[in-house]
């Protein structure tokens, strides 16, 4: 499901989601107060950003993601908070120690709680992989004289 559709469906319920429910979302999710302090962060975002633990209580733009402290990200979000309405989707590249991290960002202002929800997806809007795909190595083997590789008619 694309990022835009996911946030539209979640919007009425965002403020009521538990940490476990946030962790079940395959997109990076961060909730900020109106000053930019991190109130919530799901495990997908912590993992994909290479964070050690959840940055709760830390300032998003200066402590957690200082590369987002630029007009195209910071000012866009803070102007939305100031005007009491924000629903924007934009691409952004975080500068990271190892290599840049390109994402699609969906920023949404929740007026009821005066907070901002940030959703992060792959650049094409698809969700992050929550865990490495582990495909078991299963080989069909004959059992009791029956060759499972051949077509059988019942």
């Amino acid at each position: 499901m694309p990022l835009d559709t996911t946030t539209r469906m979640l919007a009425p319920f965002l403020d009521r989601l538990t940490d476990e429910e946030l962790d079940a979302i395959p997109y990076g999710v961060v909730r900020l107060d109106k000053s930019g302090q991190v109130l919530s962060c799901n495990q997908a975002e912590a993992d994909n950003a290479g964070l050690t633990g959840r940055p709760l209580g830390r300032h998003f733009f200066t402590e957690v993601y200082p590369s987002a402290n630029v007009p195209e990200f910071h000012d866009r979000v803070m102007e939305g908070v100031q005007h009491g309405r924000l629903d924007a989707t934009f691409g952004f590249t975080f500068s990271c120690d190892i290599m840049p991290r390109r994402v699609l960002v969906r920023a949404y202002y929740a007026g009821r709680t005066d907070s901002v929800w940030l959703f992060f997806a792959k650049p094409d809007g698809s969700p992050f992989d929550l865990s490495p795909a582990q495909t078991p190595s299963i080989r069909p083997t004959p059992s009791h004289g029956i060759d499972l590789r051949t077509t059988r008619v019942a």
Side-chain angles (χ1 to χ4, degrees), residues 3 45 48-49 60-62 64-77 88-96 99-107 118-125 128:
L3 181 62
E45 180 57 20
N48 281 291
F60 183 83
F61 295 104
T62 58
V64 183
Y65 293 113
S67 65
N69 198 9
V70 293
E72 58 267 20
F73 197 123
H74 175 271
D75 294 358
R76 179 180 282 173
V77 170
T89 303
F90 55 95
F92 190 76
T93 301
F94 289 104
S95 298
C96 302
M99 61 186 286
R101 177 178 174 234
R102 180 101 179 112
V103 295
L104 183 67
V105 179
R106 179 76 189 260
L118 301 172
F119 290 83
F120 302 99
K122 292 179 181 178
D124 66 357
F128 295 126

